[in-house]
Short mmCIF file of all heavy atoms in Angstrom, two decimals:
data_model
loop_
_atom_site.label_atom_id
_atom_site.label_comp_id
_atom_site.label_asym_id
_atom_site.label_seq_id
_atom_site.Cartn_x
_atom_site.Cartn_y
_atom_site.Cartn_z
N SER A 1 209.89 85.10 30.80
CA SER A 1 211.07 84.26 30.63
C SER A 1 210.70 82.84 30.22
O SER A 1 211.39 82.22 29.41
CB SER A 1 211.89 84.23 31.93
OG SER A 1 212.34 85.52 32.26
N SER A 2 209.62 82.33 30.76
CA SER A 2 209.16 80.98 30.37
C SER A 2 208.77 80.95 28.90
O SER A 2 209.14 80.03 28.16
CB SER A 2 207.99 80.56 31.25
OG SER A 2 208.35 80.55 32.61
N CYS A 3 208.02 81.97 28.47
CA CYS A 3 207.63 82.03 27.06
C CYS A 3 208.85 82.25 26.16
O CYS A 3 208.90 81.73 25.03
CB CYS A 3 206.60 83.14 26.85
SG CYS A 3 205.07 82.91 27.78
N PHE A 4 209.82 83.01 26.65
CA PHE A 4 211.06 83.23 25.91
C PHE A 4 211.80 81.91 25.70
O PHE A 4 212.34 81.64 24.62
CB PHE A 4 211.92 84.23 26.68
CG PHE A 4 213.19 84.63 25.99
CD1 PHE A 4 213.19 85.58 24.99
CD2 PHE A 4 214.39 84.05 26.36
CE1 PHE A 4 214.36 85.95 24.36
CE2 PHE A 4 215.57 84.41 25.73
CZ PHE A 4 215.55 85.37 24.73
N ASN A 5 211.84 81.08 26.74
CA ASN A 5 212.49 79.77 26.61
C ASN A 5 211.74 78.86 25.65
O ASN A 5 212.35 78.08 24.90
CB ASN A 5 212.59 79.10 27.98
CG ASN A 5 213.71 79.68 28.81
OD1 ASN A 5 214.72 80.12 28.28
ND2 ASN A 5 213.53 79.72 30.12
N VAL A 6 210.41 78.95 25.65
CA VAL A 6 209.61 78.15 24.71
C VAL A 6 209.96 78.52 23.27
O VAL A 6 210.18 77.65 22.41
CB VAL A 6 208.11 78.35 24.98
CG1 VAL A 6 207.27 77.77 23.84
CG2 VAL A 6 207.72 77.69 26.30
N ALA A 7 210.02 79.84 22.99
CA ALA A 7 210.35 80.27 21.64
C ALA A 7 211.78 79.90 21.26
O ALA A 7 212.05 79.47 20.12
CB ALA A 7 210.16 81.79 21.53
N ASN A 8 212.71 80.03 22.19
CA ASN A 8 214.10 79.68 21.91
C ASN A 8 214.28 78.19 21.63
O ASN A 8 214.97 77.79 20.69
CB ASN A 8 214.98 80.10 23.10
CG ASN A 8 215.81 81.32 22.80
OD1 ASN A 8 216.01 81.67 21.64
ND2 ASN A 8 216.29 81.97 23.83
N LEU A 9 213.65 77.37 22.45
CA LEU A 9 213.76 75.92 22.26
C LEU A 9 213.06 75.48 20.97
O LEU A 9 213.51 74.55 20.30
CB LEU A 9 213.17 75.19 23.47
CG LEU A 9 213.92 75.39 24.80
CD1 LEU A 9 213.19 74.68 25.93
CD2 LEU A 9 215.35 74.89 24.69
N SER A 10 211.98 76.16 20.63
CA SER A 10 211.32 75.85 19.36
C SER A 10 212.19 76.23 18.18
O SER A 10 212.23 75.53 17.16
CB SER A 10 209.98 76.59 19.30
OG SER A 10 209.29 76.29 18.11
N LEU A 11 212.94 77.33 18.32
CA LEU A 11 213.88 77.72 17.26
C LEU A 11 214.99 76.69 17.09
O LEU A 11 215.44 76.43 15.97
CB LEU A 11 214.46 79.10 17.61
CG LEU A 11 215.55 79.66 16.70
CD1 LEU A 11 215.01 79.84 15.28
CD2 LEU A 11 216.06 80.99 17.23
N CYS A 12 215.42 76.10 18.20
CA CYS A 12 216.45 75.05 18.13
C CYS A 12 215.94 73.77 17.49
O CYS A 12 216.73 72.98 16.97
CB CYS A 12 216.94 74.71 19.54
SG CYS A 12 218.13 75.87 20.15
N GLY A 13 214.64 73.53 17.56
CA GLY A 13 214.10 72.28 17.07
C GLY A 13 214.01 71.21 18.13
O GLY A 13 214.12 70.01 17.83
N ILE A 14 213.81 71.63 19.38
CA ILE A 14 213.64 70.66 20.47
C ILE A 14 212.35 69.88 20.26
O ILE A 14 211.32 70.47 19.88
CB ILE A 14 213.63 71.39 21.83
CG1 ILE A 14 214.96 72.10 22.05
CG2 ILE A 14 213.37 70.43 22.97
CD1 ILE A 14 216.18 71.20 22.05
N PRO A 15 212.35 68.58 20.45
CA PRO A 15 211.16 67.77 20.14
C PRO A 15 209.90 68.24 20.83
O PRO A 15 209.92 68.73 21.96
CB PRO A 15 211.57 66.36 20.60
CG PRO A 15 213.05 66.35 20.47
CD PRO A 15 213.50 67.74 20.81
N PHE A 16 208.80 68.10 20.08
CA PHE A 16 207.42 68.34 20.50
C PHE A 16 207.09 69.82 20.63
O PHE A 16 206.01 70.16 21.10
CB PHE A 16 207.08 67.60 21.80
CG PHE A 16 207.44 66.16 21.76
CD1 PHE A 16 208.41 65.65 22.59
CD2 PHE A 16 206.85 65.30 20.85
CE1 PHE A 16 208.76 64.32 22.54
CE2 PHE A 16 207.20 63.97 20.79
CZ PHE A 16 208.16 63.47 21.63
N LEU A 17 207.97 70.71 20.21
CA LEU A 17 207.62 72.11 20.03
C LEU A 17 207.42 72.36 18.54
O LEU A 17 207.76 71.54 17.68
CB LEU A 17 208.70 73.02 20.61
CG LEU A 17 208.84 72.97 22.13
CD1 LEU A 17 209.99 73.83 22.60
CD2 LEU A 17 207.55 73.40 22.83
N SER A 18 206.87 73.54 18.19
CA SER A 18 206.42 73.76 16.81
C SER A 18 207.58 73.72 15.81
O SER A 18 207.42 73.21 14.70
CB SER A 18 205.69 75.10 16.72
OG SER A 18 206.54 76.15 17.13
N GLY A 19 208.74 74.25 16.19
CA GLY A 19 209.85 74.25 15.25
C GLY A 19 210.41 72.88 14.96
O GLY A 19 211.03 72.67 13.90
N PHE A 20 210.18 71.93 15.87
CA PHE A 20 210.74 70.58 15.68
C PHE A 20 210.12 69.89 14.48
O PHE A 20 210.82 69.24 13.68
CB PHE A 20 210.51 69.76 16.95
CG PHE A 20 210.65 68.27 16.76
CD1 PHE A 20 211.89 67.70 16.60
CD2 PHE A 20 209.52 67.46 16.73
CE1 PHE A 20 212.01 66.33 16.42
CE2 PHE A 20 209.64 66.10 16.55
CZ PHE A 20 210.89 65.53 16.40
N TYR A 21 208.81 70.00 14.31
CA TYR A 21 208.11 69.24 13.27
C TYR A 21 208.54 69.67 11.87
O TYR A 21 208.73 68.83 10.99
CB TYR A 21 206.60 69.43 13.44
CG TYR A 21 206.06 68.83 14.71
CD1 TYR A 21 205.90 69.60 15.85
CD2 TYR A 21 205.73 67.48 14.78
CE1 TYR A 21 205.41 69.06 17.03
CE2 TYR A 21 205.24 66.92 15.95
CZ TYR A 21 205.10 67.71 17.07
OH TYR A 21 204.62 67.17 18.25
N SER A 22 208.71 70.97 11.66
CA SER A 22 209.09 71.44 10.33
C SER A 22 210.58 71.27 10.07
O SER A 22 210.99 70.81 8.99
CB SER A 22 208.67 72.90 10.16
OG SER A 22 209.23 73.71 11.18
N LYS A 23 211.43 71.64 11.03
CA LYS A 23 212.88 71.55 10.80
C LYS A 23 213.34 70.11 10.69
O LYS A 23 214.26 69.79 9.92
CB LYS A 23 213.63 72.26 11.93
CG LYS A 23 213.47 73.76 11.93
CD LYS A 23 214.32 74.44 12.97
CE LYS A 23 215.78 74.40 12.60
NZ LYS A 23 216.61 75.18 13.52
N ASP A 24 212.73 69.21 11.45
CA ASP A 24 213.13 67.81 11.38
C ASP A 24 212.79 67.21 10.02
O ASP A 24 213.57 66.43 9.46
CB ASP A 24 212.44 67.03 12.51
CG ASP A 24 212.95 65.61 12.63
OD1 ASP A 24 214.15 65.46 12.95
OD2 ASP A 24 212.19 64.67 12.39
N LEU A 25 211.62 67.58 9.47
CA LEU A 25 211.26 67.08 8.14
C LEU A 25 212.21 67.61 7.07
O LEU A 25 212.62 66.88 6.15
CB LEU A 25 209.83 67.49 7.82
CG LEU A 25 208.72 66.67 8.47
CD1 LEU A 25 207.36 67.25 8.12
CD2 LEU A 25 208.78 65.22 8.04
N ILE A 26 212.58 68.89 7.17
CA ILE A 26 213.51 69.45 6.20
C ILE A 26 214.88 68.79 6.32
O ILE A 26 215.54 68.49 5.31
CB ILE A 26 213.60 70.98 6.40
CG1 ILE A 26 212.26 71.64 6.05
CG2 ILE A 26 214.72 71.57 5.55
CD1 ILE A 26 212.22 73.12 6.32
N LEU A 27 215.31 68.54 7.56
CA LEU A 27 216.62 67.90 7.77
C LEU A 27 216.66 66.49 7.19
O LEU A 27 217.62 66.09 6.52
CB LEU A 27 216.94 67.88 9.27
CG LEU A 27 218.33 67.41 9.69
CD1 LEU A 27 219.38 68.34 9.12
CD2 LEU A 27 218.43 67.33 11.21
N GLU A 28 215.59 65.72 7.40
CA GLU A 28 215.54 64.37 6.83
C GLU A 28 215.46 64.39 5.32
O GLU A 28 216.02 63.52 4.64
CB GLU A 28 214.36 63.61 7.43
CG GLU A 28 214.52 63.30 8.91
CD GLU A 28 213.32 62.56 9.47
OE1 GLU A 28 212.35 62.37 8.71
OE2 GLU A 28 213.33 62.20 10.67
N SER A 29 214.75 65.42 4.77
CA SER A 29 214.66 65.52 3.31
C SER A 29 216.00 65.85 2.68
O SER A 29 216.31 65.40 1.57
CB SER A 29 213.62 66.59 2.92
OG SER A 29 212.35 66.27 3.44
N VAL A 30 216.80 66.64 3.39
CA VAL A 30 218.13 66.97 2.87
C VAL A 30 218.99 65.72 2.73
O VAL A 30 219.74 65.55 1.77
CB VAL A 30 218.80 68.03 3.78
CG1 VAL A 30 220.29 68.15 3.48
CG2 VAL A 30 218.13 69.37 3.61
N PHE A 31 218.87 64.81 3.70
CA PHE A 31 219.68 63.59 3.65
C PHE A 31 219.28 62.68 2.48
O PHE A 31 220.10 61.86 2.04
CB PHE A 31 219.55 62.82 4.96
CG PHE A 31 220.20 63.52 6.12
CD1 PHE A 31 219.58 63.61 7.35
CD2 PHE A 31 221.45 64.10 5.98
CE1 PHE A 31 220.18 64.24 8.42
CE2 PHE A 31 222.06 64.76 7.04
CZ PHE A 31 221.43 64.82 8.26
#
């Protein structure tokens, strides 16, 4: 369950998880 939460939060783009770094850059580039 802990690992499941890590993957879910990374999918959301929560800061300092792996999904945050890529999705945040794409979001800023869109603007």
Side-chain angles (χ1 to χ4, degrees):
S1 298
S2 301
C3 299
F4 184 80
N5 283 329
V6 168
N8 254 341
L9 295 176
S10 182
L11 176 61
C12 279
I14 298 300
F16 310 115
L17 293 176
S18 59
F20 163 74
Y21 294 95
S22 56
K23 291 185 72 174
D24 188 65
L25 282 176
I26 294 175
L27 187 62
E28 292 179 357
S29 301
V30 167
F31 291 136

